[in-house]
Amino acid sequence: MALTGIEIFKMLPKTNCKECGFPTCLAFAMALASGKAELGACPYVSDEVKEKLAEASAPPIRPVKLGAADAVKTIGGETVQFRHEKTFFNPTLIAGLLTTAMADAEVDAKIDTFMKMQYERVGLNLRPEMFAVKDVSGDAGKFAALVKKVVDQSDALLLLCGDKPEVLKAGAEAGKDRRPILAYATDANADAMGALAKELDLPLVAKADGYDALAALTTKLTGMGLKDLLLDGGARAIKQVLQDNIVFRRAALVPKFRPFGFPVVNCVAEMTDDPMMQTLYASVCIAKYGGIVVLSDLQPHTVFPLLLQRLNVYTDPQKPMIVTQGIYPINNPDENSLIAVTTNFALTYFIVTGEIEGSKVPTWLLIKDTEGLSVMTAWAAGKFSGDDVGIFVKKSGITDKAKTRTLIIPGYAAAISGDLEEELPDWKILIGPREASHIPAFLKSL
Amino acid sequence: MAFEIPKQIYSGAIKPVTIGKGPKAITLGGETSYPFYVFEGAMPHAPRIAMEVWDVDPGEDWADPAKEPFKDVLGDPVAWAKKCVNEYGADAIALILVSTDPNGMNASPEAAAATAKKVAEAVDVPLIVYGTSNQEKDGEVLPAVAEACQGMQIIMGPVQDKNYKKIGAAALGYNHTVVANTPIDVNLAKQLNILLGQLGVKDSQILVDPTTGGLGYGMEYSYSVMERDRMAALTQEDEKLQLPILNYVGQEVWKVKECKQTDAEAPQLGDQKTRGILMEAVTAVSLLLAGSDLLILRHPDAVILVKGIIKELAS
């Protein structure tokens, strides 16, 4: 629970020494409460108070860091229930499942498929990023060998599942450079699992059926000194999973209920055997607060839709999505192909390229940096003026690629054609349609 | 002390809107909590699925996996609509009057109205009739449809800011429901509902189409506008937003590159059919969680999947 300025003031030395840069301890306390100052600025505060205040100001949902030191991924750390209230920060990790019962060839194939599923889009690499590795044989050597195989053949993050602490320990040591997550701590094994996670300094999934049991379990584990926990509410029916995810998020944020202030693991692999339904369940968990979703098998056609959905849900609504300024060839254009120009707002780019692709007309599309503004707004804001666009076209290098000197501009930017003709005297300026859906008919008419 | 779920206070509810007539009429809306938050509110009318039927053969415009289930009925909207109802269990039919596009075939309002009437007579489920979002043309076509389908209680859209008077008046005159469509903006949506109200269209005759973005192509804009819309309706008593939401998913999803690419063109994306169906179903699930009450879907397998998850989540 966040502390008020007065509550913080009571813990300060009250000497008004001014060394923190504030005139009084009270002023400093008020600044701390509103997040405008750091406690470290006070040289005299005790360690005990420091710890107390650090806890009070800790994020409501623990950010848990995973992965090798040079490829850290964070889950948790979220601050809102609805993306439009700010943004969601740390995208749900998508995991596939490997078990010690699988033959070597099957494991190899799954790892190979996993590594190939990487899709470039708006400058991002969309891909699944984790394997849940599960012990079903109770053989520590076998489990460690499987983990080592994953580490050797992929860059996957690791979620290690098993009910025997000594088996998990062997796996954790084989994968320790990736900071694997251990699963599961339950009411029955909490002491042993908690001790193991503490010894190895690894994140641990707490699993219990029902809110009271889970809260009691995470409270016990934090009492043992563990900080990086994850939640599994135990449910394996999508309706209850959705409710649990909502309840955990809301409880952690609104009353700042600490026992639920951790990222959530959703194991859809255990909810149905139907791979298509697993994708749908996973989509519920991505939209509604899952930190990790585990599917039984990752295939491009079942995972790609989730990668797009995750990209959409986790896109920061405060920032426009942009594409890089430059020349984009569509439908294999050559030196005699058409040339068109538009803005770098990602939505404009996607819609325009989609329509040009659909037309099958070979086209050079020039994307001008308008700081992510759409055509009309960019034009109104002076970021898509005739001079600007003309200079951009000259410097773009398109004249090295195409002999044609006809430039198609968006219909909504028709007003710039005069200035553009002055800036590009050798060019013919054509005004394209206002709506992207009319692009194919327009291109075919040229 | 036992854990208690922190309460979200709801001060409003979505108004129920009944579409169609007879035993297959369906009621949408009525929610008293956020979508599928059934642990703290009611969802008396689970979201429904309408299936997309074009009045022309889509030809090259549709990916092969989307055409395959309908290959015997493409170009025959009556047979197509019947197949959707009889074989695929569509709750409603959405007839898209593609032929009327002035940049395409530019069919006359009379011809389109005749087609709509034939389809309306052939099925007993509610019929949604959609124009091409060309405001001027829709303003001619949909009133003609309204007249031809007199007494059949159809649903017409998209009704937009420049043609709402023409289409709204026709809906009033012939007792149909309208779909008010605005470009992904809460305030514009509210404004159009107010204008329709001033024209005399009752809330019980309005559905809201907030404009649907395809998966990976702006879906998040629709998603957040719908969440904000539901927040305003349910927690801020914004009466003019307390109306059921319709999303036209089929076309927005299936027109994107990744749905059209064949196995040979994009081997790295796996099986085209499964991918397309799942892109449609994942978009549907996302929009359901944001507040959709009625989805227009294209592929029968996506319909089955989405109906399945609605049943699990809402019951």
Side-chain angles (χ1 to χ4, degrees), chain A residues 82-84 119 121 211-212 239 243 246 250 281 283 288 300-301 305 309 312 345 347 350 357 438, chain B residues 3 6 37 39-40 103 216-221 224 227-228 231 257-258 268 271 285-286 312 315:
Chain A
F82 299 96
R83 61 186 289 281
H84 66 258
Y119 308 101
R121 200 180 170 87
Y211 300 132
D212 289 328
K239 183 181 176 185
Q243 174 184 328
I246 294 165
R250 189 189 288 169
Y281 290 163
S283 74
K288 288 288 177 182
H301 41 258
Q309 185 214 16
N312 281 169
F345 177 40
L347 214 50
F350 282 136
E357 273 163 7
H438 300 157
Chain B
F3 172 77
Y37 283 39
F39 57 93
E40 60 187 8
N103 297 298
Y217 291 81
M219 192 271 285
E220 73 272 28
Y221 293 88
S224 281
E227 284 199 330
R228 291 176 57 202
M231 201 173 263
K257 181 173 71 182
E258 290 87 352
Q268 74 282 9
D271 176 57
V285 169
S286 307
E312 284 187 75
S315 59

Side-chain angles (χ1 to χ4, degrees), chain A residues 247-259:
Chain A
V247 168
F248 295 148
R249 172 67 62 96
R250 189 189 288 169
L253 294 182
V254 183
K256 298 211 163 49
F257 184 67
R258 290 287 183 202

Side-chain angles (χ1 to χ4, degrees), chain A residues 5 47 65 112 126 367 414:
Chain A
D47 287 347
K65 293 191 180 345
D112 185 51
L126 308 188
I367 294 293

Side-chain angles (χ1 to χ4, degrees), chain A residues 81-85 116-117 119 121 211-212 215 237-239 242-243 246-247 250-251 254-255 257 260 274-277 279-281 283-284 287-289 300-302 304-306 308-309 311-313 315 317 319-321 345 347 350-351 353-355 357-358 360 438 441, chain B residues 1-8 10 34-40 60 101 103 134 184 214-221 223-224 227-228 231 255 257-258 260 267-275 277-279 281-282 285-286 289 301-302 305-306 308-309 312-315:
Chain A
Q81 297 182 67
F82 299 96
R83 61 186 289 281
H84 66 258
E85 294 174 325
K116 283 185 181 143
M117 271 188 273
Y119 308 101
R121 200 180 170 87
Y211 300 132
D212 289 328
I238 190 64
K239 183 181 176 185
L242 173 62
Q243 174 184 328
I246 294 165
V247 168
R250 189 189 288 169
V254 183
F257 184 67
F260 291 160
D274 177 353
M276 292 175 84
M277 212 58 199
T279 292
L280 258 62
Y281 290 163
S283 74
V284 171
K288 288 288 177 182
Y289 317 141
H301 41 258
T302 52
F304 185 72
L306 295 175
L308 290 184
Q309 185 214 16
L311 172 72
N312 281 169
V313 170
T315 291
K319 283 191 245 167
M321 275 211 304
F345 177 40
L347 214 50
F350 282 136
I351 292 168
T353 45
E355 295 294 344
E357 273 163 7
K360 300 204 159 52
H438 300 157
Chain B
M1 197 177 72
F3 172 77
E4 274 184 40
I5 298 175
K7 288 273 172 290
Q8 166 69 51
Y10 299 105
Y34 289 141
F36 299 97
Y37 283 39
V38 287
F39 57 93
E40 60 187 8
E60 292 276 296
D101 184 354
N103 297 298
N134 181 298
I184 319 195
L215 192 66
Y217 291 81
M219 192 271 285
E220 73 272 28
Y221 293 88
Y223 184 86
S224 281
E227 284 199 330
R228 291 176 57 202
M231 201 173 263
K255 79 176 181 192
K257 181 173 71 182
E258 290 87 352
K260 287 189 167 176
Q268 74 282 9
L269 289 175
D271 176 57
Q272 184 192 7
K273 180 181 166 188
T274 312
R275 179 175 70 245
I277 291 164
L278 285 175
M279 283 184 63
V282 165
V285 169
S286 307
L289 289 168
D301 291 1
L305 285 168
V306 176
I309 199 164
E312 284 187 75
L313 289 175
S315 59

